[in-house]
C-alpha cells in the first residue's frame, strides 16, 4: 500500500454535503488529507491516524477537490485566435474547412497541449467531445485516450458524430460527416473497446452526436437507444444560440429542448453543453428529468451567445457543471478561471440571483462529478478517489485576501496549481507537470499548429 499525507493546508475545502457549513461545504482550517492507494482515507486536523510513506507540505496552500471539466473539444486547441468577430454559425462556417484537415498528428499534439493546460489549472477529470471524423482518417478517439493516459488524467471522452452535411441542409461540409451507420457502429465500437464502468475508473466513454444542425433525427434517436443498451451517458450541444433555435423551429417546428424530448434525449443519463437559450418551461423540464447542463460562460461570451440561466437550473434541481468548451471559442483550457467567470457573469443582471464564489466552485467540482454520473470524485471526503488540487495562497497573487483566503483564491486572477493529485498520483508538482515535459508539449503544439495555419 502507498500512503501520502498532504499536511497542514491553510484550508481544505471539502465541497461535502454539509451546506450549513457554507456553500462549498465544510472548510477545515489547518486541514490535512491522508491518501491510501489512491483513495482518501482521512481528512482532519492534527496527527493523522497512520504514518504516511510520503509527506507533501500543505502550509500556505488551499486544497480543493480536483476540478471536473464537463465540455471540451481538445482538437480545437490548435485553431485558436480565428473568426473573433463572428457568432456561432459564422465562426463554425469559418472553421469547419480548417478542421476538415484534422488527423492523428493534430489530435495528438492538441490533446496533449489541452490536457496539460487543464491539469496546470487544477483539473483532474475532463471530458472531451470529438465529432470531426474526416473520411479515410481512421478513429481519432484512441489518440486522445492515449494522451490522457500518459498524462495521468481521469478522462471521459465522448465519441461525437455528424451525419448531416451541407448537401442535406446541415451546416458542416460534407467531407467531415459520416454516414449514420458508420457513426453508430464506431460509437458502439469505442464503448466496447474503452469504457470502464468500475468504481474509480480512469476512462469512460459517452456517446455524443454533435448538435441539432449537424445531425439527423435518426442518428439522435438511435444514439439514445444505443447508449441505453450499452449503459453509457449521452451528450450533445443544446440551446447555445438563437441561430440554433431558428434552425430548429424552421426545420422541425420545435424549440431545441422540445426536439430533445421528442427524440428521447432527456434524463439522468443526458447532459447538454451550454443551455443558454432556455425559457422557463425548458428549465423546469430539464430539472424534472434530472438532465444535466455543462455551462461554458467564457465561450458563450466569446461567441456572443448569451448567459445561461444557471440560478434557475439550480432552483429546478437540474444537474449543473462547468465546461471550458473548445479553445477555439474559449481561447484557453482554464477551468479554474471559469469559476470566476461563472460567478461574474451570473451577477451581470444584479446581485440577487448571482452565484457566490463557493457556489461556482461547487459547480466546477461536485456539479461536474454529478454530470458525469460519478459519486466517487468531486469532493474531499473519506472513501472518495484522491483527486486533489492544491493552490498556493502565500504568494504575490494572493496579497490582501487574508480576511477570506478561499474567496480570495476563487475570485482572484487564475492561478497555476501548485500540486495536482489524480488517483493519489502526482500529475503536477511544485507547479510543473511531472508526467510529461511541458516545453516539449509546447514545441509539438506550435509545430503542428504552424502546419495547420499554413495550409488552412
Ligand atoms: Zn462545444
Amino acid at each position: 500500500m502507498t500512503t501520502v499525507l498532504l499536511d497542514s493546508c491553510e484550508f481544505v475545502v471539502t465541497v461535502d454535503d454539509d451546506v450549513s457549513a457554507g456553500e462549498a461545504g465544510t472548510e477545515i482550517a489547518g486541514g490535512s488529507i491522508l491518501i491510501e492507494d489512491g483513495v482518501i482515507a482521512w481528512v482532519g486536523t492534527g496527527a493523522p491516524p497512520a504514518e504516511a510513506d510520503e509527506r507533501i507540505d500543505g502550509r500556505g496552500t488551499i486544497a480543493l477537490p480536483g476540478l471536473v471539466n464537463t465540455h471540451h473539444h481538445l482538437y480545437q486547441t490548435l485553431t485558436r485566435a480565428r473568426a473573433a468577430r463572428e457568432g456561432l454559425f459564422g465562426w463554425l462556417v469559418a472553421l469547419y474547412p480548417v478542421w476538415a484537415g484534422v488527423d492523428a498528428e493534430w489530435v495528438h499534439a492538441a490533446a496533449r497541449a489541452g490536457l496539460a493546460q487543464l491539469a496546470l489549472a487544477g483539473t483532474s477529470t475532463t471530458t472531451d467531445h470529438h465529432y470531426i471524423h474526416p473520411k479515410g482518417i481512421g478513429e481519432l478517439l484512441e489518440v486522445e485516450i492515449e494522451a490522457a493516459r500518459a498524462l495521468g488524467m481521469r478522462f471521459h471522452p465522448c465519441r461525437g458524430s455528424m451525419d448531416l452535411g451541407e448537401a442535406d441542409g446541415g451546416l458542416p461540409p460534407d467531407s467531415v460527416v459520416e454516414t449514420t451507420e458508420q457513426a453508430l457502429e464506431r460509437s458502439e465500437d469505442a464503448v466496447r473497446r474503452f469504457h470502464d464502468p468500475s468504481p474509480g475508473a480512469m476512462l469512460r466513454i459517452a456517446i455524443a452526436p454533435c448538435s441539432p444542425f449537424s445531425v439527423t433525427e435518426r442518428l439522435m434517436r438511435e444514439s439514445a437507444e444505443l447508449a441505453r443498451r450499452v449503459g453509457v451517458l449521452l451528450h450533445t450541444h443544446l440551446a447555445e444560440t438563437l441561430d440554433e433555435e431558428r434552425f430548429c423551429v424552421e426545420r422541425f417546428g420545435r424549440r431545441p429542448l422540445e426536439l430533445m424530448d421528442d427524440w428521447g434525449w432527456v434524463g439522468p443519463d443526458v447532459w447538454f453543453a451550454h443551455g443558454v437559450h432556455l425559457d422557463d418551461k425548458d428549465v423546469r423540464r430539464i430539472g424534472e428529468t434530472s438532465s444535466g447542463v455543462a455551462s461554458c460562460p467564457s465561450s458563450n461570451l466569446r461567441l456572443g451567445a448569451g448567459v445561461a440561466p444557471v440560478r434557475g437550473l439550480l432552483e429546478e434541481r437540474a444537474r449543473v457543471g462547468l465546461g471550458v468548451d473548445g479553445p477555439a471559442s474559449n481561447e484557453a483550457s482554464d477551468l479554474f478561471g471559469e469559476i470566476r467567470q461563472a460567478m461574474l457573469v451570473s451577477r451581470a443582471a444584479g446581485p440577487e440571483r448571482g452565484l457566490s464564489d463557493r457556489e461556482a466552485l461547487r459547480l466546477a467540482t461536485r456539479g461536474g462529478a454529478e454530470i458525469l454520473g460519478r459519486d466517487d470524485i468531486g469532493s474531499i471526503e473519506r472513501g472518495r478517489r484522491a483527486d486533489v488540487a492544491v493552490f498556493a495562497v502565500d504568494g504575490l497573487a494572493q496579497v490582501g485576501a487574508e480576511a477570506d483566503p478561499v474567496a480570495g483564491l476563487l475570485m482572484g486572477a487564475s492561478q497555476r496549481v501548485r500540486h495536482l493529485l489524480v488517483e493519489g498520483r502526482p500529475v503536477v508538482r511544485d507547479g510543473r507537470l511531472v508526467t510529461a515535459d511541458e516545453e516539449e508539449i509546447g514545441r509539438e503544439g506550435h509545430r503542428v499548429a504552424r502546419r495547420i495555419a499554413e495550409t488552412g
Side-chain angles (χ1 to χ4, degrees), residues 71-73 76 88 91 129 131 210 235-237 240 273-274 296 299 324-326 329:
H71 189 59
H72 207 301
H73 308 290
Q76 292 181 10
L88 176 69
W91 171 87
H129 186 185
Y131 54 83
C210 188
H235 179 47
T236 194
H237 293 96
E240 182 174 358
H274 304 301
C296 305
S299 172
V324 296
D325 200 4
S329 61

Side-chain angles (χ1 to χ4, degrees), residues 204-277:
R204 285 190 188 160
I205 306 294
I207 291 177
C210 188
S211 64
F213 49 84
S214 59
V215 173
T216 61
E217 174 177 347
R218 186 184 151 214
L219 181 54
M220 291 299 289
R221 287 183 183 276
E222 295 193 14
S223 291
E225 288 164 15
L226 167 62
R228 285 165 183 149
R229 177 161 57 78
V230 298
V232 300
L233 301 181
L234 284 162
H235 179 47
T236 194
H237 293 96
L238 194 78
E240 182 174 358
T241 65
L242 291 172
D243 283 347
E244 175 195 331
E245 187 174 304
R246 275 191 290 273
F247 179 95
C248 291
V249 169
E250 279 168 22
R251 193 176 170 99
F252 300 102
R254 303 285 274 163
R255 292 168 45 74
L257 185 70
E258 292 172 331
L259 271 183
M260 294 300 119
D261 230 327
D262 293 350
W263 295 345
W265 265 80
V266 290
D269 57 348
V270 176
W271 90 98
F272 304 117
H274 304 301
V276 171
H277 294 281

Side-chain angles (χ1 to χ4, degrees), residues 103-403:
D103 58 15
E105 183 190 45
W106 173 334
V107 171
H108 182 258
R112 292 176 82 218
L115 290 166
Q117 290 166 353
L118 283 167
L120 289 165
T123 303
S124 52
T125 299
T126 186
T127 184
D128 187 54
H129 186 185
H130 190 89
Y131 54 83
I132 295 257
H133 301 279
K135 292 178 181 29
I137 286 295
E139 188 56 54
L140 295 171
L141 205 66
E142 59 194 74
V143 178
E144 61 179 38
I145 286 173
E146 177 52 29
R149 192 201 58 73
L151 272 174
M153 291 184 73
R154 209 180 290 283
F155 197 33
H156 282 238
C158 304
R159 206 299 176 175
S161 52
M162 303 193 290
D163 70 340
L164 187 69
E166 275 175 320
D168 300 312
L171 203 64
D174 295 321
S175 69
V176 298
V177 304
E178 298 172 284
T179 67
T180 311
E181 289 74 19
Q182 274 171 348
L184 290 164
E185 271 168 30
R186 292 175 180 175
S187 298
E188 182 164 4
D189 191 51
V191 174
R192 189 178 51 71
R193 289 177 63 195
F194 301 116
H195 182 70
D196 176 3
S198 65
M202 293 294 289
L203 179 61
R204 285 190 188 160
I205 306 294
I207 291 177
C210 188
S211 64
F213 49 84
S214 59
V215 173
T216 61
E217 174 177 347
R218 186 184 151 214
L219 181 54
M220 291 299 289
R221 287 183 183 276
E222 295 193 14
S223 291
E225 288 164 15
L226 167 62
R228 285 165 183 149
R229 177 161 57 78
V230 298
V232 300
L233 301 181
L234 284 162
H235 179 47
T236 194
H237 293 96
L238 194 78
E240 182 174 358
T241 65
L242 291 172
D243 283 347
E244 175 195 331
E245 187 174 304
R246 275 191 290 273
F247 179 95
C248 291
V249 169
E250 279 168 22
R251 193 176 170 99
F252 300 102
R254 303 285 274 163
R255 292 168 45 74
L257 185 70
E258 292 172 331
L259 271 183
M260 294 300 119
D261 230 327
D262 293 350
W263 295 345
W265 265 80
V266 290
D269 57 348
V270 176
W271 90 98
F272 304 117
H274 304 301
V276 171
H277 294 281
L278 301 170
D279 65 17
D280 291 348
K281 190 160 129 290
D282 297 335
V283 169
R284 278 197 302 279
R285 183 65 183 150
I286 288 176
E288 75 190 17
T289 55
S290 297
S291 304
V293 173
S295 184
C296 305
S298 291
S299 172
N300 296 153
L301 295 172
R302 158 75 158 80
L303 291 175
V307 175
V310 170
R311 172 65 70 203
L313 287 163
L314 292 172
E315 285 172 348
E316 294 295 336
R317 307 187 67 79
R319 295 172 298 125
V320 183
L322 296 183
V324 296
D325 200 4
S329 61
N330 180 308
E331 301 296 343
S333 287
D334 174 11
L335 188 60
F336 187 79
E338 294 300 314
I339 296 172
R340 179 179 198 245
Q341 187 73 281
M343 184 198 74
L344 292 178
V345 73
S346 75
R347 300 176 68 80
E352 299 80 9
R353 291 173 62 74
L355 298 174
S356 74
D357 53 317
R358 270 116 168 146
E359 285 181 299
L361 172 65
R362 182 171 284 272
L363 298 184
T365 52
R366 285 295 287 279
E370 286 161 12
I371 290 258
L372 297 181
R374 299 203 62 145
D375 58 9
D376 55 350
I377 58 172
S379 68
I380 299 178
E381 295 178 275
R382 186 166 185 267
R384 296 236 179 192
R385 316 309 294 192
D387 294 1
V388 183
V390 182
F391 287 89
V393 289
D394 57 357
L396 176 61
Q398 294 303 318
V399 167
E402 276 65 14

